[in-house]
Amino acid sequence: MDTINAHPMDGFPVRPLRFALSDQKRDFVWSRTNPRFALFFNAFVLHVPYFEHYLVKSMRAAMPHVDDPQLLRDMRAIVGQEANHAKVFVEYYASMKQHYPKVPALCDYNDRYYTKKAKTDTLKQLVGYTAGYETFTFLAGAIILQNYNKWLVDSDPTIKAMFVWHQVEEVEHGAVAFEVYQKLFGDCEWYRRWMIVVTVTHMVRETYKAYTHMARVEGWMSNPVKAVKSLASCTGLLLRFVWHALPVLRKGYHPRKHPLVTRQQNPIQIAWRRYEKAGGDVLEIDRAKMAEIMKLAPESIAA
Ligand SMILES: [Fe+2]
Ligand SMILES: [Fe+2]
């Protein structure tokens, strides 16, 4: 059996990819298919590397309390994946700091926030917060790949390649923090749910702060009609993620069973994992490369 077709969360690898992200003259509205999505996602993930550092500390703190070899393997793999994500995002935002003057302050705030939090949180807070937050990165990974044609198809090949890599890996490790929480604090279900509320509040607040600044710089807030359209787009995307997150509040929820990774497992995700595993270059994904990854004729990939 082709192991790539198995559940995406089984035995996932660490892929230390490095993308050519240092170009400060890049168009940061990198998706022509959906420019507002590009800005939304730049804003949404602005604080993500600092959370990813926190996640690494959280999983390392939990490791001595876990004796399941399979879960320990997955914990080491999520640490490897997230440490790579953080390095890549920091490089991306370094290039963005010249273009969006408030980005350094927004990054510094989140760096200080998560560094302090990692130092002062108890083990339950570390694991609970990580599990709550990972609920959304996992869902965002799945939703973005589902909407590839609407949001990503015609976009900067390097940024697109970075997002596809990140979203595939977020889906792959989407159950690890949840399983660690269940193992260590599974009798405290209300705390897991509360952490989902706490983490989504942080995400929404930080996304709006960054998005409004970026939209202003891009001239999208220059008149009331444009401003309303821009903010409505950001709000709509956030609500979409929250809507898909509702099942996570149910008793008996497990990320492995979420329909987005089982019944509706995305074909791009399956094809990308197979292509990368075979040694394919996934550092830039233009239309021809996506056709190659998907084993399709280039004209069959939406323009
Ligand atoms: Fe990540
Ligand atoms: Fe993650």
Side-chain angles (χ1 to χ4, degrees), residues 86-101:
K87 265 188 208 156
V88 167
F89 280 138
V90 166
E91 196 186 341
Y92 181 45
Y93 288 121
S95 68
M96 200 183 276
K97 284 173 179 178
Q98 302 272 331
H99 187 65
Y100 298 117

Side-chain angles (χ1 to χ4, degrees), residues 51-52 55 78 82 85 134 137 166 170 173:
F51 163 72
E52 288 169 335
L55 176 149
I78 190 178
E82 294 289 29
H85 297 174
E134 282 288 287
T137 43
H166 185 254
E170 287 302 321
H173 69 232

Side-chain angles (χ1 to χ4, degrees), residues 82-226:
E82 294 289 29
N84 282 314
H85 297 174
K87 265 188 208 156
V88 167
F89 280 138
V90 166
E91 196 186 341
Y92 181 45
Y93 288 121
S95 68
M96 200 183 276
K97 284 173 179 178
Q98 302 272 331
H99 187 65
Y100 298 117
K102 286 191 182 168
V103 161
L106 292 165
C107 289
D108 287 349
Y109 167 76
N110 277 289
D111 193 6
R112 275 184 276 113
Y113 176 82
Y114 279 111
T115 302
K116 184 174 174 211
K117 191 167 165 52
K119 280 189 187 138
T120 56
D121 278 2
T122 63
L123 184 62
K124 185 173 178 181
Q125 287 168 327
L126 282 163
V127 177
Y129 189 95
T130 303
Y133 192 105
E134 282 288 287
T135 300
F136 292 98
T137 43
F138 150 68
L139 286 171
I143 294 165
I144 288 163
L145 293 172
Q146 294 292 78
N147 287 280
Y148 178 87
N149 285 341
K150 280 203 283 190
W151 296 342
L152 293 173
V153 70
D154 179 17
S155 52
D156 180 306
T158 306
I159 307 294
K160 187 202 297 187
M162 174 185 76
F163 274 106
V164 171
W165 164 69
H166 185 254
Q167 304 321 126
V168 167
E169 293 198 346
E170 287 302 321
V171 173
E172 287 178 331
H173 69 232
V176 181
F178 176 89
E179 286 174 351
V180 175
Y181 184 82
Q182 293 299 106
K183 195 91 174 164
L184 302 184
F185 309 106
D187 53 346
C188 205
E189 184 65 8
W190 69 267
Y191 188 73
R192 182 184 75 81
R193 291 183 184 137
W194 172 237
M195 283 299 105
I196 290 168
V197 176
V198 168
T199 51
V200 78
T201 304
H202 186 86
M203 273 178 222
V204 169
R205 190 181 62 228
E206 292 308 303
T207 302
Y208 269 116
K209 275 198 299 196
Y211 185 90
T212 48
H213 169 59
M214 291 172 177
R216 208 163 271 133
V217 171
E218 297 300 338
W220 295 359
M221 306 287 266
S222 56
N223 69 57
V225 177
K226 269 186 171 178

Side-chain angles (χ1 to χ4, degrees), residues 27 49 187 268:
D27 184 357
D187 53 346
I268 292 173

Side-chain angles (χ1 to χ4, degrees), residues 41-54:
F41 221 73
N42 286 345
F44 183 74
V45 297
L46 196 63
H47 67 284
V48 166
Y50 308 107
F51 163 72
E52 288 169 335
H53 291 150
Y54 175 91

